[in-house]
Amino acid sequence: MDIRIDKIRKEFGDFPALHDVSLAIRSGELIALLGPSGSGKTTLLRLVAGLELPSQGRILFGGEDASWKSVQQRHVGFVFQHYALFRHMSVFDNIAFGLKVRPAKDRPPKAEIRRRVEELIDMVQLTGMEKRLPAQLSGGQRQRVALARAMAIEPRVLLLDEPFGALDAKVRKDLRKWLRAFHERTGHTTLFVTHDQEEALELADRVVVMSQGRIEQVGKADDIYDRPQSEFVFSFVGEAAKVPVRVRNGGVEFAGQPLGLAARPDKNQAMLFFRPGDIAVKSEGPALDGRIVAIRRVAGARICEVQLGCETDTHIDIELPLDLAAVPGETVRFLPTRWALF
Ligand code: ATP
């Protein structure tokens, strides 16, 4: 089922939680909505689910206007962070619930419900646990029951709000892999909300980065990480070094010195952004001069905090090659190899 979100605006009282949001999702895509707290991710998910109605704009399911349809009519399955399983029901009954409560005319026969639930239990790898109660499962297992329950109604679209939010890091990683494989097998159009960039970049076909009720950028993990299109995306996804510069005579200047980086148009104030690892040490020619203030080892890399220039208080992190001697107090000269100006 493809979904089109068309110029959606959502206000709560006077407060606009979403401004003019548009997004086309292809059938079978796995999409992550990524952004800081309050950016509007959950509101957008709830609008797609039919749990909220838009103040303006439309939501189309397979070309058909679904904006005013109920949750049931939209046929969506959802899973929220605090997987509200029915505590007194077994794994089997939890998963079967959505089918059992259907009105008689839409309810599949008992044997068919059993067949479908067993298939789902197998799919979420909980065979042998069908009689257990939620309290007798681990967090990750409960989350898989919640997913199976959402899938049982054969939704056209699967919506997940921070599905792994309450779990510890190791379980989150396992479930991430599992969800990717699960998605590949079932092929449902899936939207999930997360504020964890690693989760979004690793799992999704495309990532939608949101900030303050707007979409900042939509793209594959590589686009978002390697070609961020705004200051916000550059800083929010991955690490960023930021240097206040000026653009003059077609080139970037720091503290009055040209750096030999071409740019236009001229701007009195701009911000030069680059990843800490995207630098080359320079022995001659124009470069940024920095005094090493501190050195830290982060996994396989050596990160140096440097203070730029002599009279500036610009501190940035850069990653220096491990074979280069680096001592606090010494000066290092370098230039970004990949950069953006905002
Ligand atoms: P989080 O990661 O913290 O869940 P989010 O990106 O999902 O954040 P939303 O829950 O969509 O953000 O909220 C977006 C904005 O809308 C926030 O400023 C929030 O306070 C506001 N908001 C959300 N729901 C309501 C509501 N029912 N009434 C009033 N304001 C709301």
Side-chain angles (χ1 to χ4, degrees):
M1 174 68 52
D2 57 76
I3 302 172
R4 212 171 87 217
I5 296 163
D6 188 20
K7 300 200 184 82
I8 286 286
R9 185 177 173 85
K10 176 66 186 176
E11 284 158 9
F12 292 109
D14 293 340
F15 177 77
L18 292 175
H19 314 254
D20 197 27
V21 168
S22 294
L23 178 68
I25 299 165
R26 289 185 288 273
S27 187
E29 255 192 312
L30 179 55
I31 295 275
L33 302 177
L34 173 70
S37 181
S39 54
K41 309 177 294 290
T42 298
T43 303
L44 186 57
L45 199 76
R46 290 173 59 85
L47 279 155
V48 175
L51 294 165
E52 298 282 356
L53 295 176
S55 308
Q56 270 174 38
R58 298 184 306 163
I59 294 183
L60 295 107
F61 275 44
E64 197 184 316
D65 193 347
S67 318
W68 302 95
K69 289 194 173 163
S70 69
V71 181
Q72 287 75 19
Q73 287 168 323
R74 290 185 200 200
H75 229 79
V76 294
F78 39 84
V79 176
F80 292 99
Q81 180 175 344
H82 301 287
Y83 31 80
L85 296 178
F86 302 113
R87 279 187 299 167
H88 57 286
M89 279 188 204
S90 67
V91 166
F92 186 98
D93 290 336
N94 261 287
I95 299 173
F97 182 79
L99 296 171
K100 285 191 179 164
V101 297
R102 280 197 182 158
K105 67 177 177 44
D106 301 329
R107 193 186 317 142
K110 244 186 165 165
E112 169 62 14
I113 294 182
R114 170 159 288 280
R115 191 194 61 77
R116 257 201 237 175
V117 173
E118 278 168 359
E119 196 177 286
L120 280 162
I121 287 177
D122 181 47
M123 208 185 268
V124 297
Q125 295 160 9
L126 291 174
T127 307
M129 300 192 189
E130 23 306 71
K131 294 206 178 105
R132 289 206 199 170
L133 293 173
Q136 298 166 316
L137 300 173
S138 74
Q141 289 165 343
R142 266 180 249 163
Q143 198 62 8
R144 274 149 42 203
V145 176
L147 268 164
R149 192 177 61 175
M151 300 284 299
I153 58 159
E154 298 191 327
R156 302 191 293 179
V157 174
L158 201 54
L159 305 173
L160 314 173
D161 193 357
E162 297 270 3
F164 315 136
L167 303 169
D168 73 46
K170 170 80 174 73
V171 180
R172 279 179 87 112
K173 283 206 167 154
D174 290 347
L175 270 183
R176 227 188 261 173
K177 277 201 201 112
W178 178 86
L179 181 65
R180 181 74 234 179
F182 183 73
H183 176 79
E184 264 149 35
R185 245 178 308 144
T186 57
H188 277 73
T189 308
T190 304
L191 258 85
F192 74 99
V193 162
T194 181
H195 61 261
D196 179 338
Q197 44 169 294
E198 223 183 273
E199 192 163 288
L201 296 175
E202 185 181 323
L203 200 50
D205 295 320
R206 285 193 301 156
V207 178
V208 176
V209 185
M210 299 187 64
S211 162
Q212 299 185 351
R214 291 194 165 81
I215 293 181
E216 287 272 336
Q217 190 170 344
V218 183
K220 294 184 191 303
D222 290 350
D223 295 328
I224 300 287
Y225 193 83
D226 296 334
R227 289 172 288 279
Q229 279 160 14
S230 67
E231 203 169 328
F232 175 81
V233 178
F234 215 125
S235 311
F236 186 69
V237 183
E239 299 296 321
K242 298 178 213 178
V243 180
V245 293
R246 184 169 158 177
V247 182
R248 219 161 47 145
N249 307 320
V252 180
E253 289 181 0
F254 174 70
Q257 298 299 315
L259 297 177
L261 307 174
R264 40 183 82 252
D266 283 7
K267 266 185 248 168
N268 235 341
Q269 285 185 330
M271 204 51 101
L272 179 69
F273 279 73
F274 51 92
R275 302 282 177 213
D278 287 343
I279 59 134
V281 174
K282 293 275 168 189
S283 50
E284 53 191 32
L288 284 163
D289 269 315
R291 191 175 62 84
I292 299 175
V293 179
I295 300 176
R296 343 188 268 284
R297 188 66 195 251
V298 181
R302 184 172 50 171
I303 304 293
C304 297
E305 179 187 338
V306 299
Q307 179 184 14
L308 294 182
C310 16
E311 64 257 49
T312 73
D313 55 5
T314 304
H315 284 238
I316 60 168
D317 281 348
I318 58 170
E319 186 182 328
L320 288 181
L322 291 171
D323 56 3
L324 189 97
V327 183
E330 278 189 357
T331 304
V332 57
R333 305 186 74 243
F334 63 94
L335 273 184
T337 48
R338 253 204 315 188
W339 47 276
L341 270 181
F342 296 111

